[in-house]
Amino acid sequence: MKSIHDINEKIREGNVSVITADEMKDIVEELGPEKAAKEVDVVTTGTFGAMCSSGVFLNFGHSDPQIKMEKVWLNDVEAYTGIAAVDAYIGVTQLSDTRGMEYGGAHVIEDLVRGREVTLKSTAYGTDCYPRTEIVTEISLEDLNQAVMLNPRNAYQRYNAATNSSEQTLKTYMGTLLPEFGNITFAGTGEISPLNNDPEFRTIGIGTRILLCGATGYVIGEGTQHSPPYGTLMVKGNLKEMNPEFMRAAVMPGYGVTLFVGIGIPIPILDDKMAKFAAVRDEEIETKIIDFGVPRRDKPVVKKVTYAELRSGKVEINGDEVRVSPLSSYYVSGKIAAELRDRILNESFFLTLPVERIPAKETFKPMKQTTIRVVKNVMSPAIPITPDTDVDEASRLIIKKGVNHLPVIDEEKVLIGIVTSWDIAKAVATGKIGKVKDIMTRKVITVLSDDPVVVAARKMEKYDISALPVTDTKKHLIGLITTEDLSKLLSGG
Amino acid sequence: MMLELKFDSRIVKEPIISKATLEANTLINIMRANVGARHGEMVIEVEKSRVDTVIEVFQSYGVEVSKFDRKIIKSDECVHCGACVSICPVEVFSIGKEEKVEADSIKCIHCGVCVNVCPVQALTLP
Ligand code: SF4
Ligand code: SF4
């Protein structure tokens, strides 16, 4: 049994034994945990992935005359300033007011770290003590009094992997998901990731010194949504000491801006138990692949897998081999673990004893919501027709019933197409007055009767259509939901 | 090797791929096709040794043929996250030495899908 103090003594004496997490696996396998614990003092871990729950506290200093900032923007990205006069917090996912999804808080932070100037703009209501009502100026990192990165939720221990059963490509925070189980994406770095090497939070706790984007940082508590084995950390570090090599602004296409955050955490091998923990292999780290094709909070689990299976690059779903993308960079994570090892060896990084433990058990509650409206409660009855209906007959139905959409079903009531008043007008205009099956749209965008109403609204907006046939999971037609049904809902009807 | 074919409305109606397959006596793999009413574009793959013959045959039918060498370029901006790996239809990207993402650009069929997937805009199509 060693203490943190013993290890720091060894660092000072220059005879500490430090290795990276990937090297530790084989050593423990070869020597066994007891011997490995004697040989190895510290194992360095690393992770580098998109961590949306991140941002930076900034203090701008006072202008002359002074301003109590009410609103503040950096390169047109708004920061939160509901704190003291010249303090603000810029979150990485905040989008630019002028450039939308291509530039956001993460880019401002990266620009600052790269030594670039950013435009600070602020407005205020003016008070006796802070008379100024607006300011525009250029600032760089060195002009700021403090720039402290403080990330509420980082370093996820493991994360659900994602796939997509639906017929559309989905652009998500888990990257681009191809239709019909076209690919799988996963995040986290498994066996070399910090929290998997200390799953009981024996050494990682409040006050643990870490490497955050290349700077010395600290764990300041459990992260939000901390729920081991899906544990998370809240961390802080000085932006002024950060290295752009270990952080990167990113755009998840169609989803938004985020920041690749690099975190390295030393695991002191205090005893054989810690050696055993640090020997964890991807084969032992389980997660679930969930289906983003179902737009609900509780998404169905497609399959349980280990990180080893995910990293193999192919996972089988329904008999097909599906290709897998990691979203965290194993390459940069490895560099972070190596950087941390070198700093310890150079006596420029010492270990700390946590001042308080982080709970190793906790559950993450969903949001308390009043009832969720689902499609079946607001839809209208559909007026179905068969593919052999005459176009003539269909046009009469449209006029008689005052509708714009006629879903087309087969004998089993399965939806096979749709005709709109527009299709019929076009058919009539071009003299194509045959059967409905010749003019109907066969690729129909639909919604399930149990889907929340917002899902229907999102689909109508995305595909620019005014109605969706409602079906059950077997594609049987149940009804029709229109923009009118939605607006009735909004007006409280 | 990949070839890019361009043809006009006259040839759109002809089964030129089948004709070329028979006449050049080789297999032709269609990698990408975009055939409209007025003109068409295709990227095909043929065995290297048969390339010259295939080109001759297509040209005899009035098809404009060029060697297809516009390939994906991955810049140093790449952070090796791997998001592109499962996206490319012809598996250009793979995770190689030191866990770096490598691009075997030779295989690229210029579909453009990966360009909009990379979170740091490291991918461009010339
Ligand atoms: S998605 Fe972009 S950053 Fe990620 S590995 Fe591919 S090229 Fe590199
Ligand atoms: S452009 Fe298409 S074929 Fe070429 S690398 Fe990208 S995804 Fe692959």
Side-chain angles (χ1 to χ4, degrees):
Chain A
M1 177 90 193
K2 282 172 267 195
S3 69
I4 300 275
H5 179 79
D6 297 336
I7 293 175
N8 282 338
E9 272 311 303
K10 282 180 149 187
I11 297 176
R12 240 170 247 121
E13 287 161 10
N15 57 17
V16 67
S17 136
V18 191
I19 57 171
T20 55
D22 59 325
E23 297 167 326
M24 182 66 170
K25 321 295 171 191
D26 289 340
I27 290 184
V28 178
E29 192 173 297
E30 199 182 313
L31 304 178
E34 271 164 56
K35 253 186 150 176
K38 289 204 177 74
E39 296 281 324
V40 179
D41 299 316
V42 186
V43 167
T44 59
T45 60
T47 187
F48 185 79
M51 304 190 197
C52 289
S53 189
S54 303
V56 176
F57 275 105
L58 305 163
N59 179 281
F60 303 111
H62 286 286
S63 57
D64 181 25
Q66 284 160 280
I67 184 166
K68 175 179 178 291
M69 295 176 167
E70 190 190 359
K71 294 231 169 220
V72 60
W73 295 263
L74 293 150
N75 283 353
D76 287 341
V77 179
E78 187 165 9
Y80 178 74
T81 180
I83 35 183
V86 291
D87 283 329
Y89 182 78
I90 183 157
V92 300
T93 65
Q94 186 74 37
L95 302 181
S96 152
D97 285 356
T98 46
R99 295 170 64 187
M101 238 185 238
E102 80 186 45
Y103 191 92
H107 297 93
V108 173
I109 294 167
E110 187 184 330
D111 278 345
L112 286 170
V113 170
R114 289 189 185 274
R116 299 182 185 133
E117 286 205 322
V118 302
T119 306
L120 165 70
K121 207 167 67 188
S122 176
T123 56
Y125 48 81
T127 70
D128 290 345
C129 46
Y130 294 102
R132 193 166 186 144
T133 56
E134 59 176 6
I135 193 163
V136 179
T137 179
E138 300 290 312
I139 55 156
S140 64
L141 192 52
E142 58 185 24
D143 303 323
L144 297 165
N145 288 317
Q146 280 80 23
V148 181
M149 180 177 278
L150 195 155
N151 304 342
R153 177 169 74 256
N154 276 181
Y156 251 112
Q157 187 172 1
R158 62 186 80 175
Y159 212 82
N160 287 335
T163 190
N164 170 18
S165 67
S166 80
E167 284 162 22
Q168 285 95 36
T169 295
L170 299 177
K171 302 198 159 183
T172 73
Y173 61 85
M174 289 298 286
T176 301
L177 299 172
L178 302 174
E180 292 166 28
F181 301 114
N183 66 340
I184 297 167
T185 62
F186 75 100
T189 51
E191 64 182 27
I192 64 166
S193 155
L195 296 186
N196 283 323
N197 285 273
D198 185 9
E200 289 183 6
F201 297 84
R202 287 178 81 218
T203 68
I204 301 175
I206 299 177
T208 298
R209 187 177 287 133
I210 62 171
L211 212 57
L212 178 60
C213 303
T216 301
Y218 296 89
V219 172
I220 56 174
E222 62 182 82
T224 54
Q225 297 182 14
H226 176 67
S227 170
Y230 293 78
T232 70
L233 296 175
M234 195 177 288
V235 300
K236 65 156 265 191
N238 187 351
L239 194 73
K240 296 191 178 200
E241 291 166 12
M242 289 185 184
N243 180 341
E245 202 184 333
F246 300 120
M247 65 188 297
R248 180 67 71 79
V251 178
M252 284 297 169
Y255 173 74
V257 171
T258 184
L259 184 72
F260 275 102
V261 174
I263 294 183
I265 302 190
I267 310 290
I269 306 301
L270 303 174
D271 51 19
D272 39 345
K273 195 166 176 192
M274 288 313 296
K276 219 164 152 182
F277 284 152
V280 68
R281 297 265 193 188
D282 281 336
E283 284 78 4
E284 305 158 51
I285 306 172
E286 282 188 348
T287 187
K288 300 171 234 160
I289 302 177
I290 58 167
D291 182 3
F292 274 61
V294 178
R296 296 297 298 262
R297 181 187 64 217
D298 297 321
K299 300 191 186 314
V301 174
V302 175
K303 197 173 181 174
K304 279 196 177 151
V305 281
T306 64
Y307 270 74
E309 291 171 78
L310 291 168
R311 281 190 78 183
S312 75
K314 296 219 160 90
V315 168
E316 197 206 287
I317 297 180
N318 302 337
D320 282 335
E321 274 204 335
V322 180
R323 280 191 290 149
V324 185
S325 270
L327 297 173
S328 303
S329 172
Y330 278 82
Y331 169 68
V332 182
S333 303
K335 277 219 300 210
I336 291 168
E339 171 76 19
L340 180 55
R341 175 198 61 206
D342 294 348
R343 288 202 196 178
I344 295 172
L345 291 172
N346 298 336
E347 300 169 48
S348 56
F349 190 106
F350 290 88
L351 274 49
T352 55
L353 196 65
V355 291
E356 209 164 289
R357 298 266 308 259
I358 283 175
K361 280 203 182 69
E362 195 124 342
T363 49
F364 160 43
K365 297 188 289 293
M367 183 190 282
K368 180 171 174 288
Q369 263 171 302
T370 45
T371 51
I372 305 174
R373 298 246 199 181
V374 294
V375 167
K376 66 173 168 227
N377 298 337
V378 295
M379 69 186 184
S380 317
I383 300 164
I385 52 174
T386 63
D388 288 319
T389 311
D390 291 326
V391 171
D392 250 10
E393 169 66 16
S395 70
R396 251 173 280 145
L397 262 177
I398 281 192
I399 294 165
K400 199 166 117 207
K401 305 274 183 185
V403 292
N404 281 316
H405 300 81
L406 298 173
V408 185
I409 56 172
D410 66 8
E411 307 85 66
E412 261 109 57
K413 289 202 159 182
V414 171
L415 181 78
I416 54 171
I418 192 165
V419 274
T420 64
S421 42
W422 167 249
D423 295 331
I424 290 185
K426 211 167 54 178
V428 172
T430 54
K432 250 196 185 175
I433 9 189
K435 302 273 185 205
V436 156
K437 66 178 170 211
D438 305 322
I439 62 162
M440 69 184 186
T441 303
R442 285 166 196 273
K443 214 168 169 214
V444 194
I445 313 282
T446 61
V447 66
L448 295 175
S449 56
D450 289 326
D451 277 340
V453 172
V454 287
V455 171
R458 170 88 183 114
K459 278 194 177 174
M460 290 190 211
E461 191 197 326
K462 184 167 168 190
Y463 297 102
D464 194 18
I465 45 182
S466 57
L468 299 169
V470 180
T471 69
D472 63 13
T473 50
K474 299 209 169 73
K475 290 253 166 203
H476 295 117
L477 181 70
I478 300 180
L480 187 82
I481 183 165
T482 65
T483 42
E484 263 166 61
D485 297 326
L486 294 182
S487 44
K488 260 187 251 155
L489 197 64
L490 285 179
S491 58
Chain B
M1 144 147 265
M2 281 189 236
L3 298 175
E4 188 171 33
L5 313 179
K6 286 190 182 156
F7 40 89
D8 60 19
S9 56
R10 212 163 24 86
I11 311 167
V12 165
K13 294 178 224 112
E14 304 273 323
I16 45 162
I17 297 289
S18 308
K19 283 185 177 174
T21 308
L22 293 173
E23 286 179 35
N25 191 22
T26 185
L27 296 177
I28 293 178
N29 190 11
I30 303 175
M31 307 303 285
R32 191 155 66 82
N34 186 2
V35 184
R38 313 277 314 146
H39 50 82
E41 270 177 37
M42 241 183 233
V43 175
I44 57 165
E45 193 181 24
V46 286
E47 217 181 290
K48 227 182 183 140
S49 60
R50 309 293 298 157
V51 166
D52 293 334
T53 329
V54 172
I55 292 180
E56 268 173 41
V57 173
F58 277 120
Q59 281 170 343
S60 74
Y61 286 104
V63 177
E64 199 183 303
V65 189
S66 51
K67 291 192 176 158
F68 188 70
D69 49 10
R70 294 181 292 138
K71 307 288 182 188
I72 196 76
I73 298 171
K74 183 160 85 64
S75 76
D76 289 346
E77 291 293 303
C78 172
V79 293
H80 306 279
C81 69
C84 52
V85 170
S86 69
I87 291 288
C88 172
V90 291
E91 305 196 28
V92 162
F93 306 101
S94 61
I95 296 175
K97 274 205 305 288
E98 294 179 58
E99 305 293 334
K100 280 188 176 178
V101 173
E102 294 167 355
D104 186 6
S105 300
I106 280 292
K107 293 197 265 181
C108 172
I109 55 167
H110 220 262
C111 74
V113 179
C114 62
V115 175
N116 299 317
V117 163
C118 174
V120 296
Q121 289 83 50
L123 298 171
T124 43
L125 272 181

